[in-house]
């Protein structure tokens, strides 16, 4: 039975059609308006296109959990050809870069300065004990980075086992010199329990201080610009330096309070030992807080927009500190360009410094070098913040 289309029904259908057309017409008009606004606002366009590109480049090139060419100090106390053959076996490995030193003292010095990740000691009775079937090789690994230490220890163990097997094959007696005939005496420096928490917690302190220092202060001046309250300050006798100090001091105190809470949690909640001086930890943290504050103020004084300032701070401070400062993985295994970018970050030096202070103690060459770099960054960024904060309404 077919329906009869009455004039009233046709009017209703026509009204719905007009409503449908009107709906999409309004949507298209609003979409065109939003596209024009997006094209006019270059900052949003840059974030929409630039952020994915930056993320894919950082994650693609910067994230690497591989360990290659790990520097290992080799102390060759046995002058025999057989002991030298062990070193040759280590040199064949694509994952280890052996550095032959003359004494354990030199090797320990390189380890403390973080110039090598492990020490392989071939004792003076190696060849004699190898003939007897109970040779020993001592392996000391820098344990401040738990996962890297395990990987390097595995590489050394595997390399020496392969060398022993090759030696047995050359002699035509596969069972005479087996992997078990060379015993590895292993020891983990600075993190004997190989606890990843000891490695991660000091790094988290760096990230938290970056977040408080750079990310929060990046919006301080921008908020003042948006609300127009800086204009009121500019017509007063207050100087730009005084305005910046007034902005820095509260966030500096908040950051140091956060640092204190992190140190208490690290020591008593996560049981992370602190072998270095507490005063040096405090002093170096104050330097890094000034660096983070300076970076945040430079950003907020330059862009004068809270949203944009927060995005720039996130991309330029927190994410690089998370990805490229050595928090998650060792930067020595990434491409040279990414490594150089990591070396430009202040967080890289503070990360190395605070981990050393927590787990290794007062290694003065490293403390002086990294503290000097952080002090230089603090002077540079605070001076730049003062330069871009002019008493002008332009």
């Amino acid at each position: 039975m077919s329906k009869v289309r009455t004039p009233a029904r046709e009017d209703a259908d026509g009204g719905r059609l007009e409503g449908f057309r009107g709906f999409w017409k309004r949507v298209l008009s609003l979409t065109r308006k939003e596209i024009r606004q997006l094209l006019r606002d270059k900052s949003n366009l840059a974030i929409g296109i630039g952020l994915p590109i930056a993320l894919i480049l950082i994650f693609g090139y910067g994230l690497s959990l591989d360990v290659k060419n790990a520097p290992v100090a080799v102390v060759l106390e046995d002058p025999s050809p057989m002991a030298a053959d062990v070193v040759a076996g280590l040199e064949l490995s694509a994952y280890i870069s052996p550095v032959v030193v003359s004494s354990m003292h030199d090797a320990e010095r390189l380890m403390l300065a973080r110039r090598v990740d492990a020490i392989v000691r071939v004792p003076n009775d190696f060849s004699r004990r190898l003939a007897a079937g109970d040779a020993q090789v001592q392996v000391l690994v820098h344990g401040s980075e738990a996962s890297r230490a395990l990987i390097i220890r595995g590489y050394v163990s595997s390399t020496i086992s392969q060398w022993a097997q090759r030696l047995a094959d050359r002699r035509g007696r596969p069972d005479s010199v087996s992997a078990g005939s060379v015993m590895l005496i292993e020891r983990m420096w600075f993190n004997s329990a190989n606890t990843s928490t000891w490695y991660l917690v000091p790094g988290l302190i760096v990230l938290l201080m970056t977040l408080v220092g750079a990310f929060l202060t990046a919006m301080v001046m921008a908020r003042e610009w948006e609300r127009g309250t800086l204009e009121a300050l500019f017509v007063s006798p207050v100087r730009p330096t005084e305005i910046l100090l007034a902005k820095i001091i509260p966030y500096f105190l908040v950051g140091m309070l956060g640092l204190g809470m992190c140190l208490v949690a690290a020591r008593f909640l996560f049981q992370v030992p602190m072998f270095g001086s507490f005063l040096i930890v405090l002093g170096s943290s104050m330097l890094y807080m000034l660096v983070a504050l300076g970076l945040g103020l430079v950003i907020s004084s330059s862009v004068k927009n809270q949203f944009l300032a927060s995005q720039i701070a996130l991309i330029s401070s927190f994410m690089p500190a998370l990805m490229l400062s050595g928090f998650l993985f060792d930067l020595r295994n990434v491409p040279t360009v990414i490594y150089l970018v990591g070396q430009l970050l202040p967080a890289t030096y503070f990360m190395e410094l605070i981990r050393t202070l927590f787990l290794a103690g007062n290694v003065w060459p490293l403390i002086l070098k990294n503290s000097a770099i952080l002090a230089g960054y603090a002077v540079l960024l605070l001076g730049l913040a003062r330069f871009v904060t002019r008493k002008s309404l332009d």
Side-chain angles (χ1 to χ4, degrees):
M1 183 177 179
S2 62
K3 294 182 180 179
V4 178
R5 296 183 61 83
T6 62
R9 186 175 183 83
E10 290 177 351
D11 291 343
D13 291 344
R16 281 196 291 272
L17 183 59
E18 286 299 320
F20 181 75
R21 289 173 178 169
F23 169 78
W24 283 110
K25 188 176 180 180
R26 289 190 295 275
V27 168
L28 290 175
S29 299
L30 289 172
T31 303
R32 282 198 296 270
K33 190 268 290 181
E34 292 298 330
I35 291 174
R36 291 194 192 100
Q37 187 171 347
L38 175 64
L39 294 176
R40 281 197 298 267
D41 190 349
K42 304 299 182 186
S43 59
N44 285 336
L45 197 61
I47 290 173
I49 298 174
L51 184 59
I53 294 174
L55 286 177
I56 194 66
L57 290 177
I58 290 174
F59 278 87
Y61 285 105
L63 183 60
S64 172
L65 301 179
D66 299 332
V67 177
K68 295 180 180 177
N69 299 318
V72 174
V74 179
V75 183
L76 194 59
E77 297 177 349
D78 186 353
S80 68
M82 193 61 67
D85 200 36
V86 175
V87 180
L90 292 172
E91 290 174 342
L92 288 176
S93 172
Y95 304 101
I96 297 173
S97 294
V99 179
V100 179
V101 295
S102 58
S103 66
M104 276 299 290
H105 175 75
D106 292 341
E108 291 174 358
R109 185 172 52 79
L110 292 176
M111 182 95 107
L112 285 173
R114 291 308 311 271
R115 294 174 59 185
V116 297
D117 292 318
I119 299 173
V120 176
R121 175 174 174 262
V122 183
N124 54 15
D125 60 350
F126 174 78
S127 56
R128 180 177 59 80
R129 297 188 66 168
L130 181 66
D134 64 343
Q136 293 184 349
V137 173
Q138 188 178 17
V139 181
L140 306 174
V141 185
H142 201 296
S144 63
E145 298 177 26
S147 59
R148 183 178 176 86
L150 283 176
I151 292 172
I152 293 174
R153 189 174 66 180
Y155 286 162
V156 173
S157 175
S158 174
T159 302
I160 292 179
S161 297
Q162 290 175 12
W163 167 83
Q165 191 59 52
R166 285 197 302 273
L167 179 64
D169 291 342
R170 285 203 301 268
R171 290 178 172 177
R173 294 176 296 171
D175 297 331
S176 63
V177 180
S178 63
S181 63
V182 180
M183 180 183 297
L184 295 181
I185 310 298
E186 299 173 346
R187 181 185 165 195
M188 195 81 72
W189 269 22
F190 312 127
N191 188 356
S192 56
N194 199 29
T195 306
S196 60
T197 306
W198 290 12
Y199 164 73
L200 291 174
V201 170
L204 285 174
I205 292 176
V206 179
L207 297 184
L208 292 173
M209 293 186 69
T210 304
L211 186 66
V212 173
F215 191 71
L216 294 184
T217 53
M219 294 184 286
V220 173
M221 295 292 285
R223 186 186 305 126
E224 297 275 10
W225 282 110
E226 284 188 351
R227 294 176 178 174
T229 50
L230 268 182
E231 297 171 359
L233 287 175
F234 282 171
V235 298
S236 69
V238 179
R239 298 175 179 176
T241 303
E242 296 166 350
I243 295 174
L244 287 178
L245 284 176
K247 299 294 182 188
I248 287 174
I249 291 172
Y251 284 93
F252 181 81
L253 295 176
V254 169
M256 297 314 294
L257 179 62
L259 171 71
M261 295 172 64
C262 289
L263 292 179
V264 171
R267 185 68 189 91
F268 298 104
L269 189 61
F270 299 106
Q271 306 294 320
V272 181
M274 183 187 292
F275 294 106
S277 166
F278 173 75
L279 291 178
I280 298 176
V281 171
L282 191 61
S284 59
S285 301
M286 292 171 72
L287 277 178
Y288 184 70
M289 180 54 66
L290 290 176
V291 172
L293 289 169
L295 179 60
L297 287 174
V298 168
I299 294 170
S300 61
S301 298
S302 302
V303 300
K304 304 176 183 178
N305 177 283
Q306 284 192 76
F307 174 74
L308 186 57
S310 64
Q311 298 303 308
I312 293 176
L314 184 68
I315 296 172
S316 64
S317 62
F318 183 72
M319 287 189 61
L322 175 66
M323 300 296 300
L324 301 177
S325 66
F327 172 68
L328 291 176
F329 54 89
D330 198 308
L331 285 176
R332 287 171 290 185
N333 301 312
V334 299
T336 304
V337 174
I338 302 297
Y339 173 79
L340 293 176
V341 172
Q343 294 302 304
L344 291 176
L345 300 175
T348 302
Y349 302 97
F350 186 51
M351 188 77 71
E352 183 182 44
L353 180 55
I354 198 163
R355 277 179 174 163
T356 301
L357 287 169
F358 261 93
L359 299 180
N362 297 336
V363 182
W364 284 106
L366 194 145
I367 291 172
L368 293 176
K369 184 197 77 172
N370 289 9
S371 296
I373 293 172
L374 290 178
Y377 270 112
V379 171
L380 175 67
L381 290 171
L382 291 175
L384 193 58
R386 170 63 185 84
F387 177 76
V388 298
T389 308
R390 296 181 177 178
K391 205 169 179 179
S392 169
L393 300 181
D394 294 338

